[in-house]
Amino acid sequence: MIEGISIYEILTLTSILFFIGVYGFITRKNLISILISVELVLNASVVNFVVINKYLYPDMLQGVFFSIFIIAVAAAETALAVSIIINLYRQITSVEVKDIETMKY
Amino acid sequence: MERYIFYIVALIMIVSAIASVSSRKMLRSVIYLLFVLAGIAGIFFLIDYNFLAAVQLTVYAGGIIVLIIFSVLLVHHIEMKLEVEKTSKRLVTAIACLIGIGVFVSTIYSYDFKVTDISTTTTTEDIGLGLLSYEAGGFILPFEVISVLLLAAIIGAIVIAKGKKLESNNEETI
């Protein structure tokens, strides 16, 4: 644990990061920007897992394993999203959310 | 000392996160995201999880950021400015997010966490043994499932990004 820093301060920091990500997810109109916001949300949850593991149960490792799995899933998700975005740009030459209607049906 | 380092890292992370969701230039917002991810790796170093910090730096700062930068360069002009949402909608969203932060923080501060004083250093060997153990509490099954998931994601990304089949179908329908 960090000297002089309580668990409350770190949890406050991660909840602020989480809501900044939610704000970007709602207000942005571009697919890549939405992807960046999702990364912010995922990272806030990873820090939460690790910090709760370290401060409350330092002899267990479950939080570390879960955060490794979250990082792996996030990497897979980003690779798939980037390939979908590039394919969409080839077909309709735009990555704005309002132009994307081909995936609706 | 560590206390001040944490405050500095936290300030850098929050400022760059806000800049990352509000910057109107695409490439800059990706670089601000890089600062946030490096700050999270710094927090992992501070709470003594060196392996996780290394994973965070290599996978996120080394892999995902480069991937996003490539996709930005492939689909955008660098000087192009992003559209912004209407001010009223941004304001409503910001107020809703502030209320959400208030609810979260008040819930966190009203709960009494039973913090222990024991501090053990986790070695990479412990993490590897825990991941590969098949006894109760071991993580061998999710470990294998995640490897299958990564393989499926690799193949899916290649097939989707190639996209030849879709194009030929479109030509036929036209």
Side-chain angles (χ1 to χ4, degrees):
Chain A
M1 59 177 66
I2 311 175
E3 293 292 327
I5 298 289
S6 66
I7 188 171
Y8 298 102
E9 289 164 79
I10 305 182
L11 291 183
T12 311
L13 170 69
T14 54
S15 38
I16 290 173
L17 275 185
F18 178 87
F19 276 103
I20 290 173
V22 170
Y23 171 80
F25 187 83
I26 296 173
T27 54
R28 286 298 187 126
K29 285 182 165 179
N30 187 295
L31 280 182
I32 301 174
S33 309
I34 290 177
L35 192 64
I36 291 173
S37 311
V38 172
E39 294 299 326
L40 277 178
V41 172
L42 281 173
N43 268 290
S45 67
V46 167
V47 179
N48 259 8
F49 268 109
V50 171
V51 163
I52 288 176
N53 184 4
K54 186 71 180 179
Y55 274 76
L56 304 187
Y57 306 100
D59 47 341
M60 312 271 251
L61 280 176
Q62 261 78 353
V64 178
F65 296 147
F66 271 101
S67 44
I68 290 175
F69 291 140
I70 292 174
I71 290 174
V73 170
E77 170 241 324
T78 310
L80 274 182
V82 164
S83 68
I84 288 174
I85 288 170
I86 290 174
N87 198 355
L88 266 178
Y89 184 73
R90 252 194 229 144
Q91 294 188 15
I92 59 176
T93 55
S94 162
V95 288
E96 301 293 317
V97 174
K98 64 178 190 307
D99 296 330
I100 294 164
E101 291 170 340
T102 44
M103 285 163 77
K104 270 187 185 171
Y105 305 105
Chain B
M1 189 61 200
E2 283 177 332
R3 191 189 170 112
Y4 296 113
I5 294 176
F6 173 78
Y7 284 136
I8 293 168
V9 169
L11 195 68
I12 291 174
M13 276 166 65
I14 291 175
V15 169
S16 341
I18 292 174
S20 159
V21 296
S22 60
S23 166
R24 287 191 64 189
K25 290 193 174 166
M26 200 63 237
L27 210 53
R28 281 189 196 177
S29 97
V30 181
I31 299 302
Y32 288 132
L33 178 71
L34 173 64
F35 282 120
V36 179
L37 299 178
I40 286 172
I43 285 183
F44 288 163
F45 274 123
L46 277 179
I47 58 176
D48 206 14
Y49 278 136
N50 297 325
F51 177 71
L52 262 186
V55 166
Q56 173 86 14
L57 278 181
T58 50
V59 174
Y60 269 109
I64 290 182
I65 289 291
V66 172
L67 207 60
I68 296 178
I69 286 179
F70 265 111
S71 69
V72 169
L73 293 181
L74 279 175
V75 303
H76 272 274
H77 307 290
I78 295 180
E79 291 89 18
M80 201 188 87
K81 289 213 168 155
L82 296 175
E83 286 180 56
V84 284
E85 197 74 63
K86 275 177 290 177
T87 319
S88 59
K89 195 182 171 188
R90 276 194 297 166
L91 211 64
V92 169
T93 316
I95 290 170
C97 287
L98 283 180
I99 292 172
I101 290 176
V103 171
F104 268 40
V105 169
S106 62
T107 315
I108 287 168
Y109 274 87
S110 64
Y111 185 76
D112 183 30
F113 287 104
K114 306 251 179 319
V115 178
T116 53
D117 286 331
I118 323 158
S119 188
T120 51
T121 304
T122 310
T123 58
T124 313
E125 188 188 358
D126 294 335
I127 296 175
L129 286 177
L131 270 179
L132 290 180
S133 88
Y134 45 83
E135 289 151 14
F139 275 77
I140 183 81
L141 182 64
F143 188 71
E144 293 299 326
V145 170
I146 214 88
S147 65
V148 176
L149 172 78
L150 283 177
L151 180 68
I154 292 169
I155 297 173
I158 293 172
V159 169
I160 293 173
K162 255 177 83 184
K164 262 204 175 133
K165 211 169 187 181
L166 276 174
E167 274 174 21
S168 61
N169 278 351
N170 283 353
E171 280 164 17
E172 278 169 21
T173 49
I174 290 166

